[in-house]
Amino acid sequence: MNRDTVEWHGYIPAITTPFTRDGELDFAAFEEQLGWLTAERMHGVVLAGTTGEWFSLSETERAELFQQGATLAGSSMWVLGGCNAFTAAEAIRHAHAAERAGLDGILLTPPPYIVPTRREIVAFYQEVSHATDIPICIYNWPRGCIVDLDTDLLTELAEIENVVAIKNSTGDTAGFLNGLYALGDRVRYFGIPTSGLGADLVGLGRGDGLMGSGAPLGSDHPDFWRALAAGDRDRALALGAKDRVVMQRWFTQDYGAQFGNAQAIMKTALRLRGVPAGYVRRPLLELTEDQVQIVRSTLEGLGVETVPLS
């Protein structure tokens, strides 16, 4: 496999997993949320990613989420399954669940928390690839995994059979660009900024899009990429500027939350838009009233209508 095995491009956000206030999966809300994302013209979605609180889902819940997501999305957009896990054996079980559900691919970080060595990271991805037939997108997220996959390591990982894409959420801009130019012809490369630099890179044929988080601005996110494809740079930059306001007010340079937690921020933003994103599951906590107001004022400052929260 390589980048031509799949057609993934544009905006493919990791979406929230709706829970009730009691912490139960809310599939009715999940269905309505996917309907909204489809209407807002997402290019694809990632289920059970970091924004989707994979860490609090049981294996059975994750498999059910994959099945429901595949059924509800149909052929309207690409659906990837987050298969993050501490061991290859567990990641393989999640990947098999994604295969059974008919998902288009999986997103997979190195094992978080344990800080694996380079040799261990390569072996981890090789083991998952050898046990499955599903396309793999490697996810480099140093803040969450404590390791930063540099260009040399990403180059080695890109040679693994089922690896077709890389989501590179490093805070190292030089490292990101080095990886883009070294690997863009071999794998699809996500993480392109919604800025003038990002527009220039796309114009040069570099990069495939952005695997963002939550899609709180709805169609403005994917329309950045559609505007670039149509040659409308001015519209793209106007849309991208809105996305950067959200990132600067809610998140840090390495994609951590400036307040509360990222999952609650995204769920609050969506609920303020009337989208049933649900509530976070403990150990995460909902935002305070002051933090909710930050989210509300950001959305309203960007011209997004909000509704009262229940």
Side-chain angles (χ1 to χ4, degrees):
M1 295 187 187
N2 57 37
R3 62 172 287 113
D4 296 324
T5 305
V6 298
E7 298 180 348
W8 307 340
H9 66 270
Y11 187 68
I12 306 176
I15 67 173
T16 65
T17 301
F19 299 112
T20 67
R21 286 194 183 275
D22 294 328
E24 298 299 317
L25 271 174
D26 188 343
F27 281 110
F30 181 60
E31 180 175 2
E32 190 171 344
Q33 182 183 174
L34 269 181
W36 181 80
L37 291 162
T38 300
E40 295 294 311
R41 304 186 304 282
M42 301 299 142
H43 293 94
V45 294
V46 177
L47 309 177
T50 303
T51 305
E53 298 172 68
W54 68 267
F55 41 82
S56 67
L57 292 169
S58 70
E59 191 169 320
T60 298
E61 287 176 327
R62 196 177 327 200
E64 189 172 1
L65 195 71
F66 289 170
Q67 187 62 61
Q68 292 282 342
T71 300
L72 293 169
S75 60
S76 62
M77 54 188 169
W78 298 298
V79 182
L80 279 63
C83 292
N84 299 343
F86 293 102
T87 67
E90 184 182 358
I92 289 166
R93 293 197 298 273
H94 297 319
H96 287 164
E99 288 180 303
R100 290 193 300 272
L103 300 192
D104 298 290
I106 65 172
L107 182 68
L108 184 61
T109 66
Y113 177 77
I114 62 176
V115 197
T117 66
R118 296 173 74 91
R119 186 165 68 94
E120 290 164 345
I121 291 170
V122 172
F124 171 79
Y125 282 106
Q126 286 175 332
E127 191 172 348
V128 175
S129 178
H130 291 164
T132 66
D133 294 316
I134 196 166
I136 297 172
C137 177
I138 290 173
Y139 182 11
N140 180 36
W141 187 41
R143 180 181 177 89
C145 298
I146 321 177
V147 293
D148 196 348
L149 310 181
D150 61 29
T151 299
D152 288 343
L153 180 52
L154 288 174
T155 299
E156 186 172 358
L157 295 173
E159 295 302 316
I160 295 173
E161 172 59 27
N162 289 348
V163 173
V164 301
I166 292 170
K167 176 184 178 181
N168 197 347
S169 296
T170 178
D172 177 2
T173 301
F176 176 87
L177 292 173
N178 286 338
L180 170 62
Y181 276 84
L183 295 166
D185 295 333
R186 173 69 180 83
V187 295
R188 294 193 178 257
Y189 201 90
F190 291 88
I192 306 302
T194 55
S195 62
L197 172 61
D200 290 343
L201 290 171
V202 172
L204 292 170
R206 296 290 178 180
D208 295 274
L210 178 66
M211 290 188 180
S213 174
L217 299 182
S219 61
D220 286 353
H221 294 295
D223 283 357
F224 171 85
W225 307 97
R226 292 191 173 95
L228 288 179
D232 192 344
R233 178 186 172 90
D234 289 343
R235 172 167 164 74
L237 292 182
L239 293 169
K242 296 170 72 173
D243 176 69
R244 292 200 308 284
V245 167
V246 166
M247 293 304 298
Q248 291 165 3
R249 293 189 181 176
W250 299 351
F251 300 100
T252 61
Q253 185 175 355
D254 65 352
Y255 306 104
Q258 288 201 37
F259 53 91
N261 60 78
Q263 293 80 6
I265 290 173
M266 286 301 167
K267 288 184 170 181
T268 299
L270 290 166
R271 287 169 51 224
L272 283 167
R273 297 201 60 162
V275 180
Y279 306 91
V280 293
R281 178 181 270 179
R282 289 179 178 268
L284 300 182
L285 297 175
E286 295 297 328
L287 301 184
T288 66
E289 290 186 12
D290 288 346
Q291 292 167 342
V292 169
Q293 185 54 36
I294 295 172
V295 178
R296 185 189 298 276
S297 64
T298 301
L299 293 175
E300 292 178 348
L302 293 172
V304 176
E305 292 186 6
T306 64
V307 300
L309 293 183
S310 58

